[in-house]
Amino acid sequence: MTLAQSVEQVFQEKFKEQALLVRSPGRVNLIGEHTDYNKGFVLPAAIDKSITLAISPRNDRHCSMFAMDMNEAHEFSIDDLHSTPKGWPNYLMGVVDQFVKAQYPIQGFHCVFGGDIPIGAGMSSSAALEAGLAFALNTLFHLHIDRLTLVKMAQKAENVFVGVQCGIMDQYINIFGKQDNVLRIDCRTLEYQYYPFAFHNISVVLFDTRVSHSLASSEYNRRREECSEGVAVIKKMYPEVNSLRDVTCDMLHQCRDRMDPTVYRRCKYVVEENERVLHACGDLEKGDLKSFGAAMKKTHAGLSGDYEVSCKELDFLVDLMSSDPQVYGSRMMGGGFGGCTINLIEKNHVEEVSSFAAVRYKQKFNIDLKTYITSIGPGTRIIAGSGHEKD
Ligand code: GLA
């Protein structure tokens, strides 16, 4: 039985009616880390790991949700939204909250969801839940909200209801992802461009450190503040600057003496990373994976040394891959302080490279490394509708 079928089956058992089925993917990010909230560039892709949501409308204001993977239910009224220590319902209620605030005419609903995006590994299971529900509600209640607005609502759900000041990348790629393509998002203009990622001899492999340091979200918010501090200093000399996206290495250098050294390093990383993304897109167009991989390496060095969001487990894995000729690029991925490294590995050598990494990782940290071989798939979409999807 496929994942979608088992979600549908549980839905039928619980609610005895037909459901709209929406498949919402996780994501990888090839390059462009911690740049989204600095209005810079990112280069993510939707992957084949996903959450399926089965959903049907009710005629009242009540919502009844069931998380298959947790085997937990949660009920709430649209008119009484407040966060819960249970965790996962907040992602969904946060989205409902956005629909209510924007005064879209929604009703209550039944929802069952389950999936195979590992939680806490940096593949954006939370964005998949948020954007997946936003997409589903839009379809279910025939709201005709455009895709970019859905993205923004899903991001806001996380900012407001969950309290993580995340940027827009994860929700954006979730909705706009395209099979075999990476997406360059300009987080200032919110324009995008697809780049085919058609290297048939290459696998995108994630090594999951299986550590998740408790600092992650407070340090994430702290990095945002440090970047704003940097912008405030630079703005004194260059009033036209509104974000690190508007800053060149030269400008930053001019302001160095006026800046706290830590803030300077944070800014330096972001300014360099934006340049790297643009250059890396050129590499993709030329099919130059070597140069692309070299950029990934530099990104990791910056994230670890200047931005300080890596950890010893991530650094170890990246370092381990650095001299392997079968590995084109390797770096930590996502917010940091744990989660996965992303590796571009020659297809024929994936098994050998992965077992080598697993053995060495176990020796060093006594943790069983998890490996995910991903493929680039489409963004959130309807997979079965029972008529709900008509308009
Ligand atoms: C998390 C956030 C994203 C982005 C990355 C870092 O995944 O949700 O918005 O900032 O970290 O690139």
Side-chain angles (χ1 to χ4, degrees), residues 164-296:
V164 178
Q165 298 309 311
C166 66
I168 204 166
M169 168 171 71
D170 302 345
Q171 292 81 4
Y172 202 119
I173 186 60
N174 177 281
I175 297 278
F176 283 85
K178 184 172 163 185
Q179 181 86 40
D180 295 328
N181 279 260
V182 295
L183 183 65
R184 190 187 82 186
I185 308 167
D186 178 335
C187 299
R188 179 167 66 186
T189 62
L190 297 182
E191 288 164 345
Y192 64 90
Q193 189 178 338
Y194 291 108
Y195 289 82
F197 192 81
F199 298 97
H200 299 295
N201 58 331
I202 292 296
S203 291
V204 178
V205 181
L206 306 182
F207 291 146
D208 186 353
T209 58
R210 302 179 74 190
V211 299
S212 156
H213 295 289
S214 56
L215 285 176
S217 57
S218 61
E219 284 297 311
Y220 183 91
N221 291 347
R222 177 82 197 115
R223 291 300 173 278
R224 286 196 73 138
E225 284 163 20
E226 287 165 343
C227 292
S228 305
E229 272 175 60
V231 169
V233 174
I234 301 164
K235 207 174 170 64
K236 286 194 188 133
M237 202 181 244
Y238 299 97
E240 69 278 17
V241 165
N242 292 313
S243 69
L244 288 178
R245 166 67 180 282
D246 307 324
V247 178
T248 62
C249 290
D250 224 31
M251 286 158 81
L252 183 62
H253 193 71
Q254 297 297 321
C255 302
R256 184 172 190 164
D257 294 343
R258 304 167 179 216
M259 229 182 250
D260 173 89
T262 304
V263 170
Y264 173 79
R265 282 189 293 120
R266 307 294 192 243
C267 295
K268 174 172 162 286
Y269 161 75
V270 173
V271 170
E272 288 172 354
E273 180 73 348
N274 277 331
E275 277 185 15
R276 270 194 291 272
V277 178
L278 295 180
H279 200 266
C281 289
D283 291 336
L284 282 186
E285 282 173 327
K286 285 183 265 162
D288 188 346
L289 209 56
K290 266 211 165 128
S291 171
F292 190 94
M296 286 172 73

Side-chain angles (χ1 to χ4, degrees), residues 151-168:
V151 168
K152 290 180 185 167
M153 288 168 79
Q155 179 200 11
K156 226 162 173 207
E158 177 133 0
N159 294 163
V160 174
F161 217 86
V162 183
V164 178
Q165 298 309 311
C166 66
I168 204 166

Side-chain angles (χ1 to χ4, degrees), residues 55-71:
I55 187 163
S56 71
R58 289 173 56 120
N59 291 322
D60 58 13
R61 311 282 285 167
H62 193 79
C63 300
S64 179
M65 301 182 300
F66 184 70
M68 277 171 63
D69 306 318
M70 255 74 72
N71 196 24

Side-chain angles (χ1 to χ4, degrees), residues 27 29 31-38 41-42 122-124 126-127 130 155 158-159 164-171 220 224 269 273 303 307 309 331-336:
R27 65 108 184 87
N29 184 26
I31 196 161
E33 215 65 88
H34 286 275
T35 43
D36 60 351
Y37 54 82
N38 286 304
F41 296 102
V42 290
M123 282 176 244
S124 285
S126 48
E130 292 151 354
Q155 179 200 11
E158 177 133 0
N159 294 163
V164 178
Q165 298 309 311
C166 66
I168 204 166
M169 168 171 71
D170 302 345
Q171 292 81 4
Y220 183 91
R224 286 196 73 138
Y269 161 75
E273 180 73 348
L303 286 167
Y307 216 65
V309 290
R331 66 173 193 83
M332 60 150 276
M333 186 181 79

